[in-house]
Amino acid sequence: MNRSYVAACRERCIQRGLDPEIIPVPNVLAVNDLTERKERYHDILEMTNFFANKLLFFGKYPVVLCVTDGQAVILDMYGDEGILQSVQHMGLVLGAVYREQEMGINTVSLALEHNKPIKVLGNEHYHTYLAESACYSVPFCYEGRGGITGTLSILTTLENATDMYLGGLLAVVESVGRELLLRKQNQKLCMLNQILEEQIIVSEKFSAVGKLAAGFAHEIRNPLTSISGFIQLLQEKETVDYKDIQYFEIIRSELARINKLVTDFVGVAKPEVSTVRQKHDLKNVLGEMVVFMQSQALLCKVEIVYQAPDTSVFLECNDMQIKQVMLNLIQNAIEAMPDGGQIIVALSEEETGFVSIRVQDEGGGMTEEKKKKVLQPFFTTKENGCGLGLSVCLRIIENHQGQIEIDSQKGKGTTFHIKLPKG
Ligand SMILES: Nc1ncnc2c1ncn2[C@@H]1O[C@H](COP(=O)(O)OP(=O)(O)OP(=O)(O)O)[C@@H](O)[C@H]1O
Ligand SMILES: [Mg+2]
């Protein structure tokens, strides 16, 4: 500990013309200001409170323990009733500002200034009213809390002076630092836990849906088959007129819609998607899907541009499932452009051993928030949507050991990137 700090401080007190015989009166913060500051130091004060009692019973003489902030404001005080009352006359009260300018030589301002533990004993103080006192301060700076600074300080009688107080204060400052770090790590773990829990909820949704799916699909497909059969019989009747044909057409398209719903639903829900795979030329698989979707796209004033390499792109895959993925993505892209636009379907072979598929639209795009949710089953923003299309895609691509990435900006369109490993 460098005592020249104290000597230099004494010089400054003389220059300022402080009278050593007059007990200085510190500035004291207004209650509101103090409450605000205490709020910022809330967890530090809570922890020092825990350690305070241990320090107070260190020696057999009365001790006052103070916590200050980085501007030397006393935020908290500990000690027995008697001593707390007697130090009030020295200006040692909650909210008092222990600046050198007003208070002369004091360990709080010295510790903050030099960022070191400081002790000042008896006559080393500038003011004579402190001639029988021993003061100790240890500064703190907690990086994890945005570099929050302050001191832990002890005031006791000179006869009670021992460097053990500095050791005790140092130990508390360190313990509080460790505890703050632990709390921060805990917070991170809590957040991680929350994310994991959300994922578990999603996978539970899958398994619950899985159990329901088989029965559900069966129950719906049975009546569908008989309705389809009867419709066919009616269509073959000789007395069918023009109006009936229109009605049959509506019934038939509605049946097709229900059938798609059931197929999608089972696709998401089935614990495992079919593993039958063969070598297919993706250039053809995708090309067929583009042709298939072209007529629906034209009705919606959408043009589908297909960009594929000149040569074949072979991949071990389930072609029907890949077609299902393309259908869902193109369907979504068309639905994202109610006023028409262009869709680019691009296929390429990466040197890194991957096949890339890109489906890009010029629709309304999505926010970051929405992007996080779209792959979850049953998430939909469409009046007649089921929110299953993308879940089916994800399932299929993951079953092919691939990945889906979404690039989207609100108002600027969306691109789905699919990466499938060749090996
Ligand atoms: N290309 C896209 N542009 C903007 N939003 C999209 C796009 N694709 C999907 N979305 C959003 O993601 C949601 C979920 O899509 P998903 O395909 O899973 O279900 P859906 O289209 O709503 O219903 P369906 O089960 O009939 O496909 C959509 O409702 C839409 O809000
Ligand atoms: Mg969809």
Side-chain angles (χ1 to χ4, degrees):
M1 209 164 308
N2 195 339
R3 318 302 270 168
S4 68
Y5 296 149
V6 180
C9 188
R10 178 176 301 281
E11 275 305 308
R12 292 197 293 269
C13 290
I14 295 168
Q15 276 168 17
R16 282 191 192 109
L18 288 183
D19 186 341
E21 300 301 328
I22 297 177
I23 298 180
V25 181
N27 291 325
V28 179
L29 293 190
V31 178
N32 281 354
D33 199 354
L34 178 64
T35 315
E36 239 170 66
R37 282 175 193 240
K38 285 182 83 157
E39 193 44 51
R40 275 215 308 133
Y41 282 69
H42 169 76
D43 44 4
I44 294 172
L45 296 179
E46 189 184 283
M47 286 176 229
T48 42
N49 177 47
F50 173 77
F51 291 112
N53 293 337
K54 296 183 170 59
L55 275 177
L56 289 180
F57 293 106
F58 219 50
K60 50 186 169 167
Y61 295 93
V63 167
V64 179
L65 172 72
C66 300
V67 188
T68 77
D69 67 7
Q71 284 162 340
V73 176
I74 297 180
L75 300 178
D76 234 342
M77 290 173 69
Y78 299 93
D80 71 37
E81 281 288 308
I83 188 160
L84 284 181
Q85 274 203 349
S86 66
V87 295
Q88 264 188 17
H89 304 299
M90 303 179 182
L92 206 58
V93 289
L94 284 182
V97 189
Y98 260 69
R99 294 201 321 165
E100 180 189 301
Q101 283 89 327
E102 292 85 24
M103 305 309 290
I105 297 176
N106 72 89
T107 53
V108 173
S109 63
L110 282 172
L112 286 172
E113 184 188 345
H114 299 289
N115 196 23
K116 281 189 173 154
I118 300 278
K119 73 172 170 184
V120 175
L121 303 178
N123 284 330
E124 288 175 337
H125 286 103
Y126 182 75
H127 289 96
T128 50
Y129 78 99
L130 289 171
E132 290 304 315
S133 308
C135 296
Y136 306 86
S137 287
V138 170
F140 58 76
C141 175
Y142 297 125
E143 297 298 334
R145 293 276 277 96
I148 202 164
T149 56
T151 74
L152 268 193
S153 303
I154 274 179
L155 166 77
T156 185
T157 57
L158 192 55
E159 54 193 324
N160 201 24
T162 159
D163 282 354
M164 299 273 275
Y165 281 121
L166 274 186
L169 290 175
L170 270 170
V172 174
V173 165
E174 257 181 43
S175 306
V176 170
R178 260 200 311 275
E179 180 69 27
L180 284 174
L181 199 71
L182 276 177
R183 282 191 184 185
K184 204 174 153 203
Q185 285 170 345
N186 259 353
Q187 265 171 0
K188 266 196 202 151
L189 282 177
C190 273
M191 261 165 58
L192 206 69
N193 226 0
Q194 241 176 335
I195 293 170
L196 282 178
E197 268 172 22
E198 274 169 25
Q199 284 183 354
I200 288 170
I201 291 170
V202 171
S203 68
E204 273 175 1
K205 258 190 201 170
F206 269 118
S207 79
V209 170
K211 283 176 197 149
L212 282 172
F216 174 82
H218 188 72
E219 289 302 318
I220 292 186
R221 278 199 174 121
N222 272 352
L224 276 190
T225 316
S226 45
I227 295 171
S228 299
F230 285 126
I231 295 285
Q232 214 172 340
L233 282 180
L234 287 173
Q235 269 175 321
E236 283 162 12
K237 274 177 78 170
E238 278 164 14
T239 52
V240 174
D241 66 18
Y242 173 70
K243 264 246 145 27
D244 290 338
I245 293 173
Q246 271 188 323
Y247 293 148
F248 289 146
E249 192 44 42
I250 294 169
I251 297 170
R252 213 188 47 74
S253 75
E254 287 301 299
L255 285 177
R257 216 175 83 81
I258 300 173
N259 203 24
K260 177 188 175 293
L261 172 68
V262 175
T263 312
D264 280 358
F265 187 65
V266 175
V268 178
K270 245 199 245 159
E272 54 205 76
V273 190
S274 159
T275 49
V276 180
R277 294 202 192 149
Q278 275 174 347
K279 203 168 173 185
H280 293 282
D281 181 1
L282 274 191
K283 198 177 148 183
N284 289 342
V285 176
L286 266 57
E288 281 168 29
M289 267 334 275
V290 169
V291 172
F292 180 75
M293 295 299 287
Q294 208 69 266
S295 53
Q296 193 200 333
L298 280 178
L299 281 179
C300 305
K301 298 196 217 91
V302 172
E303 178 198 12
I304 308 179
V305 178
Y306 183 38
Q307 300 171 347
D310 294 334
T311 51
S312 302
V313 179
F314 287 108
L315 187 83
E316 274 298 311
C317 65
N318 184 315
D319 61 334
M320 290 314 290
Q321 288 175 2
I322 299 293
K323 279 186 177 171
Q324 175 79 55
V325 170
M326 295 313 293
L327 183 124
N328 290 351
L329 293 183
I330 296 172
Q331 184 73 42
N332 278 349
I334 294 174
E335 286 164 357
M337 299 188 288
D339 301 323
Q342 191 185 63
I343 299 173
I344 297 176
V345 175
L347 171 70
S348 60
E349 211 168 350
E350 312 276 315
E351 279 171 17
T352 46
F354 283 92
V355 170
S356 274
I357 300 171
R358 196 174 90 229
V359 179
Q360 184 176 345
D361 67 52
E362 303 172 324
M366 34 184 141
T367 57
E368 278 298 309
E369 194 58 32
K370 191 168 156 191
K371 218 167 84 176
K372 285 183 201 151
K373 293 185 186 156
V374 290
L375 293 171
Q376 291 183 10
F378 306 117
F379 175 81
T380 182
T381 53
K382 297 171 193 166
E383 208 177 318
N384 293 316
C386 312
L388 289 173
L390 289 178
S391 318
V392 172
C393 296
L394 183 65
R395 271 257 143 156
I396 292 174
I397 296 303
E398 281 184 346
N399 271 290
H400 283 77
Q401 281 74 47
Q403 286 170 1
I404 299 186
E405 266 176 34
I406 308 169
D407 217 352
S408 186
Q409 268 186 339
K410 192 97 192 94
K412 295 213 171 135
T414 304
T415 306
F416 282 83
H417 299 273
I418 296 177
K419 265 174 106 180
L420 293 164
K422 286 183 75 180

